[in-house]
Amino acid sequence: MKLKKFLLTLLLMVLSTGVLFGCAADDEEDPATNDDSTEQQDTGDTEEDQE
């Protein structure tokens, strides 16, 4: 019975530590690279205008 309690406590500590470190991770992305405006630049040309 003591072994079960020990293993349960150990497992709980490992999972809790993982959750705490996973939620506390910093977002290291550069905000300039996450800009959607660079992907879609509106030139004003549409398919109807090209005909």
Side-chain angles (χ1 to χ4, degrees):
M1 191 66 161
K2 288 184 180 184
L3 181 62
K4 286 184 181 181
K5 286 184 180 182
F6 175 73
L7 289 176
L8 180 63
T9 304
L10 182 67
L11 180 63
L12 183 62
M13 288 172 47
V14 169
L15 290 176
S16 298
T17 305
V19 168
L20 288 175
F21 279 109
C23 292
D26 292 335
D27 189 15
E28 304 260 340
E29 280 188 33
D30 187 13
T33 60
N34 198 13
D35 191 12
D36 291 338
S37 65
T38 58
E39 293 178 7
Q40 298 177 355
Q41 294 179 350
D42 188 17
T43 59
D45 294 333
T46 61
E47 291 180 17
E48 295 173 353
D49 291 339
Q50 294 175 356
E51 290 180 2

